[in-house]
Amino acid sequence: MVTFRFDLNQEYSERLEADAAAKCMTIQEYIRYKLFGEVTIFSIDEVIKRIQAGNFENQEFTVPDAYTDEEWSQIDRGNAGVLGKNFYNHITDHPELGISFIPNRTIKRRAVYTYKKID
């Protein structure tokens, strides 16, 4: 894998971070999205949409539950872990989404969540 490095001043760095956060993407995902138009189903925004549109209310679930088995088989283990961590961080920062982490509870070593619609 090739690594590219570039420097940003404080203004552009803050702008990049804010723009990525507004899209619920990591900075790396956001750069790929802006440069190549790459959109993936394995994003925080997509997980949230699937949870809110799905049959998850008042049930325990893990991030992979938002995907079909076929879809989830397409993500490698490292990226799945990054998605899970970023999802946890995002829902912790945004309780208004109605998605809550259940401490001390795991399913197949994965973090467990619940969803309650907020009117």
mmCIF file of all heavy atoms in Angstrom, residues 100-116:
data_model
loop_
_atom_site.group_PDB
_atom_site.id
_atom_site.type_symbol
_atom_site.label_atom_id
_atom_site.label_comp_id
_atom_site.label_asym_id
_atom_site.label_seq_id
_atom_site.Cartn_x
_atom_site.Cartn_y
_atom_site.Cartn_z
ATOM 1 N N SER A 100 -27.760 3.777 21.858
ATOM 2 C CA SER A 100 -27.013 3.733 23.109
ATOM 3 C C SER A 100 -26.135 2.493 23.183
ATOM 4 O O SER A 100 -26.553 1.392 22.808
ATOM 5 C CB SER A 100 -27.970 3.701 24.300
ATOM 6 O OG SER A 100 -28.808 4.829 24.298
ATOM 7 N N PHE A 101 -24.951 2.685 23.691
ATOM 8 C CA PHE A 101 -24.006 1.597 23.949
ATOM 9 C C PHE A 101 -24.403 0.921 25.257
ATOM 10 O O PHE A 101 -24.772 1.587 26.222
ATOM 11 C CB PHE A 101 -22.591 2.174 24.051
ATOM 12 C CG PHE A 101 -21.562 1.222 24.564
ATOM 13 C CD1 PHE A 101 -21.148 0.144 23.791
ATOM 14 C CD2 PHE A 101 -20.984 1.400 25.809
ATOM 15 C CE1 PHE A 101 -20.187 -0.730 24.257
ATOM 16 C CE2 PHE A 101 -20.014 0.530 26.277
ATOM 17 C CZ PHE A 101 -19.613 -0.538 25.502
ATOM 18 N N ILE A 102 -24.333 -0.404 25.300
ATOM 19 C CA ILE A 102 -24.618 -1.154 26.526
ATOM 20 C C ILE A 102 -23.278 -1.578 27.132
ATOM 21 O O ILE A 102 -22.614 -2.469 26.598
ATOM 22 C CB ILE A 102 -25.489 -2.396 26.255
ATOM 23 C CG1 ILE A 102 -26.802 -1.999 25.587
ATOM 24 C CG2 ILE A 102 -25.744 -3.156 27.553
ATOM 25 C CD1 ILE A 102 -27.647 -3.177 25.155
ATOM 26 N N PRO A 103 -22.871 -0.923 28.213
ATOM 27 C CA PRO A 103 -21.576 -1.278 28.827
ATOM 28 C C PRO A 103 -21.573 -2.712 29.348
ATOM 29 O O PRO A 103 -22.605 -3.260 29.736
ATOM 30 C CB PRO A 103 -21.443 -0.294 29.996
ATOM 31 C CG PRO A 103 -22.513 0.723 29.815
ATOM 32 C CD PRO A 103 -23.558 0.135 28.920
ATOM 33 N N ASN A 104 -20.405 -3.313 29.339
ATOM 34 C CA ASN A 104 -20.192 -4.661 29.882
ATOM 35 C C ASN A 104 -21.035 -5.739 29.205
ATOM 36 O O ASN A 104 -21.354 -6.760 29.801
ATOM 37 C CB ASN A 104 -20.437 -4.694 31.396
ATOM 38 C CG ASN A 104 -19.552 -3.722 32.130
ATOM 39 O OD1 ASN A 104 -18.371 -3.611 31.829
ATOM 40 N ND2 ASN A 104 -20.118 -2.992 33.065
ATOM 41 N N ARG A 105 -21.427 -5.496 27.969
ATOM 42 C CA ARG A 105 -22.208 -6.482 27.217
ATOM 43 C C ARG A 105 -21.563 -6.632 25.847
ATOM 44 O O ARG A 105 -21.307 -5.640 25.170
ATOM 45 C CB ARG A 105 -23.650 -5.996 27.081
ATOM 46 C CG ARG A 105 -24.537 -6.852 26.218
ATOM 47 C CD ARG A 105 -25.187 -7.990 27.013
ATOM 48 N NE ARG A 105 -26.202 -8.653 26.200
ATOM 49 C CZ ARG A 105 -25.981 -9.778 25.544
ATOM 50 N NH1 ARG A 105 -24.824 -10.384 25.590
ATOM 51 N NH2 ARG A 105 -26.950 -10.318 24.832
ATOM 52 N N THR A 106 -21.292 -7.853 25.448
ATOM 53 C CA THR A 106 -20.767 -8.116 24.108
ATOM 54 C C THR A 106 -21.499 -9.306 23.504
ATOM 55 O O THR A 106 -22.035 -10.145 24.218
ATOM 56 C CB THR A 106 -19.248 -8.419 24.119
ATOM 57 O OG1 THR A 106 -19.013 -9.582 24.899
ATOM 58 C CG2 THR A 106 -18.442 -7.244 24.633
ATOM 59 N N ILE A 107 -21.502 -9.340 22.202
ATOM 60 C CA ILE A 107 -21.994 -10.478 21.436
ATOM 61 C C ILE A 107 -20.889 -10.806 20.432
ATOM 62 O O ILE A 107 -20.528 -9.950 19.619
ATOM 63 C CB ILE A 107 -23.319 -10.160 20.711
ATOM 64 C CG1 ILE A 107 -24.435 -9.846 21.712
ATOM 65 C CG2 ILE A 107 -23.716 -11.319 19.799
ATOM 66 C CD1 ILE A 107 -25.733 -9.368 21.075
ATOM 67 N N LYS A 108 -20.342 -11.993 20.525
ATOM 68 C CA LYS A 108 -19.215 -12.402 19.667
ATOM 69 C C LYS A 108 -18.073 -11.386 19.737
ATOM 70 O O LYS A 108 -17.501 -10.998 18.717
ATOM 71 C CB LYS A 108 -19.662 -12.593 18.223
ATOM 72 C CG LYS A 108 -20.655 -13.704 18.026
ATOM 73 C CD LYS A 108 -21.015 -13.857 16.559
ATOM 74 C CE LYS A 108 -22.056 -14.940 16.379
ATOM 75 N NZ LYS A 108 -22.476 -15.059 14.986
ATOM 76 N N ARG A 109 -17.794 -10.903 20.930
ATOM 77 C CA ARG A 109 -16.725 -9.928 21.195
ATOM 78 C C ARG A 109 -16.976 -8.576 20.533
ATOM 79 O O ARG A 109 -16.068 -7.785 20.333
ATOM 80 C CB ARG A 109 -15.369 -10.500 20.788
ATOM 81 C CG ARG A 109 -15.004 -11.737 21.592
ATOM 82 C CD ARG A 109 -13.695 -12.359 21.185
ATOM 83 N NE ARG A 109 -12.632 -11.387 21.027
ATOM 84 C CZ ARG A 109 -11.588 -11.563 20.240
ATOM 85 N NH1 ARG A 109 -11.458 -12.676 19.555
ATOM 86 N NH2 ARG A 109 -10.661 -10.642 20.140
ATOM 87 N N ARG A 110 -18.211 -8.302 20.178
ATOM 88 C CA ARG A 110 -18.578 -7.020 19.557
ATOM 89 C C ARG A 110 -19.386 -6.182 20.540
ATOM 90 O O ARG A 110 -20.164 -6.712 21.332
ATOM 91 C CB ARG A 110 -19.416 -7.248 18.309
ATOM 92 C CG ARG A 110 -18.688 -8.003 17.229
ATOM 93 C CD ARG A 110 -19.609 -8.282 16.069
ATOM 94 N NE ARG A 110 -18.908 -9.003 15.018
ATOM 95 C CZ ARG A 110 -19.466 -9.934 14.279
ATOM 96 N NH1 ARG A 110 -20.732 -10.268 14.456
ATOM 97 N NH2 ARG A 110 -18.773 -10.530 13.342
ATOM 98 N N ALA A 111 -19.243 -4.866 20.445
ATOM 99 C CA ALA A 111 -20.015 -3.949 21.277
ATOM 100 C C ALA A 111 -21.496 -4.094 20.951
ATOM 101 O O ALA A 111 -21.876 -4.333 19.802
ATOM 102 C CB ALA A 111 -19.569 -2.514 21.029
ATOM 103 N N VAL A 112 -22.318 -3.924 21.968
ATOM 104 C CA VAL A 112 -23.762 -4.090 21.824
ATOM 105 C C VAL A 112 -24.444 -2.744 22.060
ATOM 106 O O VAL A 112 -24.053 -1.981 22.946
ATOM 107 C CB VAL A 112 -24.308 -5.152 22.809
ATOM 108 C CG1 VAL A 112 -25.817 -5.286 22.701
ATOM 109 C CG2 VAL A 112 -23.630 -6.493 22.558
ATOM 110 N N TYR A 113 -25.481 -2.493 21.266
ATOM 111 C CA TYR A 113 -26.206 -1.224 21.313
ATOM 112 C C TYR A 113 -27.708 -1.469 21.372
ATOM 113 O O TYR A 113 -28.177 -2.565 21.069
ATOM 114 C CB TYR A 113 -25.907 -0.395 20.057
ATOM 115 C CG TYR A 113 -24.438 -0.121 19.853
ATOM 116 C CD1 TYR A 113 -23.641 -0.989 19.105
ATOM 117 C CD2 TYR A 113 -23.837 0.992 20.419
ATOM 118 C CE1 TYR A 113 -22.295 -0.749 18.925
ATOM 119 C CE2 TYR A 113 -22.493 1.238 20.246
ATOM 120 C CZ TYR A 113 -21.719 0.372 19.499
ATOM 121 O OH TYR A 113 -20.392 0.610 19.341
ATOM 122 N N THR A 114 -28.442 -0.431 21.715
ATOM 123 C CA THR A 114 -29.897 -0.433 21.610
ATOM 124 C C THR A 114 -30.296 0.853 20.890
ATOM 125 O O THR A 114 -29.541 1.828 20.864
ATOM 126 C CB THR A 114 -30.614 -0.481 22.981
ATOM 127 O OG1 THR A 114 -30.231 0.657 23.741
ATOM 128 C CG2 THR A 114 -30.300 -1.757 23.715
ATOM 129 N N TYR A 115 -31.491 0.830 20.341
ATOM 130 C CA TYR A 115 -32.008 2.005 19.629
ATOM 131 C C TYR A 115 -33.411 2.303 20.103
ATOM 132 O O TYR A 115 -34.240 1.419 20.215
ATOM 133 C CB TYR A 115 -32.014 1.758 18.117
ATOM 134 C CG TYR A 115 -32.711 2.831 17.327
ATOM 135 C CD1 TYR A 115 -32.261 4.153 17.346
ATOM 136 C CD2 TYR A 115 -33.843 2.542 16.573
ATOM 137 C CE1 TYR A 115 -32.909 5.131 16.628
ATOM 138 C CE2 TYR A 115 -34.492 3.527 15.857
ATOM 139 C CZ TYR A 115 -34.026 4.826 15.888
ATOM 140 O OH TYR A 115 -34.667 5.807 15.182
ATOM 141 N N LYS A 116 -33.652 3.566 20.396
ATOM 142 C CA LYS A 116 -34.981 4.038 20.754
ATOM 143 C C LYS A 116 -35.243 5.311 19.978
ATOM 144 O O LYS A 116 -34.460 6.267 20.066
ATOM 145 C CB LYS A 116 -35.074 4.299 22.263
ATOM 146 C CG LYS A 116 -36.455 4.749 22.694
ATOM 147 C CD LYS A 116 -36.526 4.780 24.213
ATOM 148 C CE LYS A 116 -37.740 5.495 24.678
ATOM 149 N NZ LYS A 116 -38.946 4.804 24.721
#
